[in-house]
Amino acid sequence: MAEQPLSFETLAIHAGQDPEPVTGAVVVPIYQTSTYAQEGLGKPRQGFEYSRTDNPTRRAYETCLAALEGARHGLAFASGMAATATCAHLLRAGDEVLCSDDVYGGTFRFFTRVMEKFGVTTRYVDTSDLEVTRRALTDRTRMLWVETPTNPMLKLSDLTALAGIARDAGAYLAVDNTFMTPYLQSPLKLGADVVVHSATKYLGGHSDVVGGALLTNNDAIYETLKFHQNAIGAVPGPFDCWLVMRGLKTLALRMDRHCQNAHALSELLAAHPQVAQVHYPGLPAHPHHLLARTQMRGFGGMISFEVKGGLESARKLVQSTRLFFLAESLGGVESLIEHPAIMTHASLPPERRAALGISDGLIRLSVGIENLTDLRADLEQALNAALPSRV
Ligand code: P1T
């Protein structure tokens, strides 16, 4: 009888994490070592030579995350941006990247201000519009870089269709899966070549570590990325790997609660007189709601919304919440509130922000896993505090 494949929750706890062979420790140890004594000249034990190249704690974490993404290969990095930067080394001078127009501000900054210097140009398109994307490809396009849902406008792109478009053009499809996590969306199964993560967010899940990852099923892509992981060296230390691996064990439980809480709060916001518009893929009014229902296994924990009264109301609101901390980042157990135009997306030129809808009244929530009644009360009192009459 064929063995049944293990489910997500089980892989999160067991993949790459057999008991340690000497003592039987059930938790993978933090191998806090930079190097490994060799048995003889050119004879490393167990394949470990130097911790930039490989480390047992990192390897366990990479194995676990690869299993969760349904990937043959996983590589860990010191941050999401380090993962993005290493992935960009699949390109060479003269190549062009076609990138979702509404991406994390740091990703935009990296492609425009860093890669441009090396002769790799990036153009930005609304990848949720397949015809626009197809028409934007040129014979120099070597990579399609997609966030879905996007940060911060939560637009969705059809990954199966984009994988076909990329394949026809001979380009890689790289998907930043940070907002969804492997629990809610599987880009590799839909045809992506590489998945990118900021592990700082939901994967770690406790706002106590910065990390990144790349996952792929393609052996040739893996070899190139692995070479660059070692050659560039933007790797995480063993303790950071251990922290993210600990976070992964509860990823499924946490994501379920993030989704429930965010869905309920998106409905509260949609019904509130102080709110002009809510962006949440779980709302039937969201323009890509139907795609969300098929492509994702849940609608996620991120919401953005437009508050009436512009910057003044927005400022009042983000300074009035008590449980939602005013902070950049997302994906931790605690709820966060932020103002993209002044905070996470300040590196976008004002005219780009305006074109994307990142207005002065736009607010982003990372909904945590606190009790929903408490979150609801906190958001309501902050919205009331931001009413124009009180501004
Ligand atoms: O911060 P770092 O771990 O380097 O990850 C960068 C990154 C990559 N991709 C997405 C979708 C992201 O949201 C981020 C980081 N984002 C924030 C810090 C933020 O508040 O949006």
Side-chain angles (χ1 to χ4, degrees):
M1 200 177 78
E3 239 185 279
Q4 191 167 324
L6 295 176
S7 58
F8 188 95
E9 294 83 347
T10 310
L11 289 170
I13 291 165
H14 291 282
Q17 299 168 79
D18 289 340
E20 187 269 324
V22 177
T23 63
V26 298
V27 174
V28 174
I30 301 165
Y31 286 92
Q32 194 71 42
T33 186
S34 60
T35 192
Y36 307 83
Q38 307 201 359
E39 278 173 347
L41 191 57
K43 282 194 195 157
R45 298 163 218 249
Q46 315 279 338
F48 295 100
E49 291 173 45
Y50 187 59
S51 279
R52 170 162 34 76
T53 317
D54 207 352
N55 170 283
T57 315
R58 191 174 97 207
R59 192 189 283 184
Y61 159 45
E62 290 173 339
T63 304
C64 182
L65 188 55
L68 297 183
E69 276 287 2
R72 250 202 312 278
H73 308 289
L75 293 166
F77 295 88
S79 66
M81 289 319 303
T84 297
T86 306
C87 191
H89 285 270
L90 292 172
L91 304 166
R92 57 187 66 228
D95 288 347
E96 184 181 81
V97 179
L98 208 53
C99 184
S100 297
D101 52 7
D102 176 39
V103 283
Y104 168 56
T107 303
F108 173 83
R109 179 176 55 198
F110 170 74
F111 280 120
T112 47
R113 299 200 31 207
V114 180
M115 291 310 287
E116 292 269 331
K117 286 193 300 186
F118 298 100
V120 173
T121 49
T122 303
R123 283 181 304 124
Y124 297 86
V125 288
D126 181 356
T127 49
S128 64
D129 187 328
L130 297 174
E131 255 332 290
V132 164
T133 307
R134 201 190 308 273
R135 279 204 304 272
L137 289 159
T138 69
D139 52 11
R140 287 177 47 208
T141 309
R142 290 285 290 148
M143 186 178 277
L144 215 54
W145 187 279
V146 175
E147 267 182 32
T148 178
T150 54
N151 181 0
M153 299 306 291
L154 297 159
K155 294 191 292 189
L156 268 61
S157 294
D158 182 334
L159 291 179
T160 308
L162 288 176
I165 290 174
R167 205 176 311 117
D168 291 348
Y172 302 114
L173 175 62
V175 177
D176 185 330
N177 206 23
T178 300
F179 270 32
M180 280 287 97
T181 81
Y183 183 61
L184 297 180
Q185 180 167 272
S186 304
L188 295 177
K189 291 200 179 80
L190 302 178
D193 298 296
V194 185
V195 162
V196 187
H197 277 289
S198 167
T200 316
K201 319 302 181 198
Y202 293 105
L203 301 184
H206 296 73
S207 306
D208 52 12
V209 60
V210 172
L214 296 175
L215 295 307
T216 184
N217 274 323
N218 181 310
D219 295 340
I221 291 177
Y222 168 70
E223 290 305 330
T224 305
L225 294 176
K226 174 77 194 161
F227 169 80
H228 284 92
Q229 182 198 39
N230 182 51
I232 297 168
V235 293
F239 183 51
D240 287 357
C241 295
W242 186 90
L243 279 173
V244 180
M245 196 161 41
R246 183 165 71 161
L248 290 178
K249 295 179 193 191
T250 54
L251 180 64
L253 291 171
R254 287 186 284 108
M255 291 317 294
D256 283 341
R257 181 60 76 86
H258 283 297
C259 291
Q260 278 169 25
N261 282 355
H263 207 148
L265 293 186
S266 74
E267 285 167 355
L268 178 154
L269 288 165
H272 200 283
Q274 178 66 357
V275 175
Q277 209 184 351
V278 182
H279 309 284
Y280 184 68
L283 291 174
H286 187 285
H288 308 135
H289 178 65
L290 288 181
L291 177 60
R293 295 188 79 93
T294 54
Q295 182 162 279
M296 293 147 49
R297 291 180 286 274
F299 301 118
M302 300 300 296
I303 306 174
S304 57
F305 64 98
E306 180 82 28
V307 71
K308 290 180 189 164
L311 183 59
E312 277 323 300
S313 287
R315 189 188 298 280
K316 195 93 205 273
L317 202 162
V318 300
Q319 291 177 172
S320 299
T321 52
R322 297 176 194 131
L323 296 176
F324 286 83
F325 297 141
L326 175 58
E328 302 204 5
S329 201
L330 57 113
V333 291
E334 65 287 295
S335 294
L336 301 180
I337 191 165
E338 69 112 6
H339 188 270
I342 293 180
M343 297 169 71
T344 50
H345 291 71
S347 52
L348 266 61
E351 60 281 6
R352 273 200 73 78
R353 285 203 301 267
L356 293 170
I358 306 175
S359 68
D360 285 350
L362 189 81
I363 289 170
R364 192 188 74 180
L365 299 180
S366 170
V367 180
I369 64 170
E370 301 95 331
N371 179 281
L372 178 59
T373 309
D374 296 337
L375 292 182
R376 214 192 281 271
D378 190 33
L379 199 54
E380 265 173 345
Q381 66 78 24
L383 282 162
N384 292 338
L387 283 172
S389 57
R390 313 248 319 251
V391 169

